[in-house]
Amino acid sequence: MSGHQGVRDDEGGAARLLALSDGVFAIAMTLLALDISLPAGLDPPGFDRALEELVPNLWAYALSFLVIAAFWRGHHQIFRYTREVDGTVIRLALLGLGLIALMPFPTTLLAEYGDLPPPVAIYSAAVAAMGATQLVLTVVLWKRPWLASAALPDPVVRNDVADLASTVLVFAVAVPLAFVSPMGAKLWWAVLIPIKVVTGVRGKRLRTAARPPGAGA
């Protein structure tokens, strides 16, 4: 028996952590929508004006929903091959969940004050911090194969690391850029689109190649 101590899945460790994670992700996604509302009793001109003013909230909601959904998907990919968890994994996972739960706050700042440098910098820093936490968690699980139910090939993990590292880098660069040009920082986020397409396609190909014959999707 390995000298490394973990919390076995049959004791509820990994399964309970994943269940907690799903709950936190779901609540954070739901809270994003709380700022999307219109006052009652508006006349037609007031309704049109209020609807126009709601556009930044809708944009911020859509952006943060996609960001959180991407982290949720990555979180599940990490724990899909995890049989056991230890104290380090639990602490990193809880830190990541804490940052996810906080996302409605920078989302509101971005929606209400997206033309100012601090809100854009805070939002960028929040996403970079989430990415950095998930990146460290991925590397920790990669380097602790005794916690895994099945070993992932190194190319698959390296692609996941590159995907997360690109997120961290782009949003970290956007933090100081926001104080030069808030709009420029938000446009800089779009650099991730082609990167995500490339790493996503490559990751799917690598996972398909690594799947044992006869295994399900």
Side-chain angles (χ1 to χ4, degrees), residues 85-98:
V85 293
D86 60 15
T88 300
V89 172
I90 291 173
R91 285 189 290 272
L92 285 170
L94 291 177
L95 174 59
L97 293 178

Side-chain angles (χ1 to χ4, degrees), residues 53-64:
E53 293 173 350
L54 197 62
V55 170
N57 298 70
L58 292 170
W59 176 83
Y61 164 79
L63 175 64
S64 291

Side-chain angles (χ1 to χ4, degrees), residues 137-176:
L137 181 59
T138 300
V139 173
V140 166
L141 287 171
W142 181 25
K143 298 301 182 180
R144 300 183 181 193
W146 59 87
L147 298 177
S149 58
L152 270 177
D154 286 353
V156 174
V157 185
R158 289 195 184 101
N159 183 73
D160 291 345
V161 168
D163 180 76
L164 286 166
S166 67
T167 300
V168 175
L169 178 62
V170 168
F171 278 93
V173 169
V175 174

Side-chain angles (χ1 to χ4, degrees), residues 61-200:
Y61 164 79
L63 175 64
S64 291
F65 189 93
L66 289 174
V67 168
I68 294 177
F71 279 111
W72 173 82
R73 184 171 181 271
H75 193 82
H76 264 258
Q77 287 178 343
I78 292 172
F79 282 96
R80 182 179 181 182
Y81 299 93
T82 302
R83 183 184 69 250
E84 304 176 4
V85 293
D86 60 15
T88 300
V89 172
I90 291 173
R91 285 189 290 272
L92 285 170
L94 291 177
L95 174 59
L97 293 178
L99 293 170
I100 290 292
L102 193 63
M103 272 304 290
F105 172 64
T107 300
T108 299
L109 289 181
L110 186 68
E112 300 294 337
Y113 307 101
D115 295 332
L116 301 177
V120 178
I122 291 171
Y123 189 91
S124 300
V127 178
M130 288 191 299
T133 303
Q134 197 163 98
L135 174 60
V136 174
L137 181 59
T138 300
V139 173
V140 166
L141 287 171
W142 181 25
K143 298 301 182 180
R144 300 183 181 193
W146 59 87
L147 298 177
S149 58
L152 270 177
D154 286 353
V156 174
V157 185
R158 289 195 184 101
N159 183 73
D160 291 345
V161 168
D163 180 76
L164 286 166
S166 67
T167 300
V168 175
L169 178 62
V170 168
F171 278 93
V173 169
V175 174
L177 183 59
F179 291 95
V180 178
S181 170
M183 179 57 68
K186 288 185 283 188
L187 292 175
W188 167 249
W189 296 340
V191 170
L192 274 176
I193 296 176
I195 297 175
K196 293 295 182 179
V197 170
V198 171
T199 57

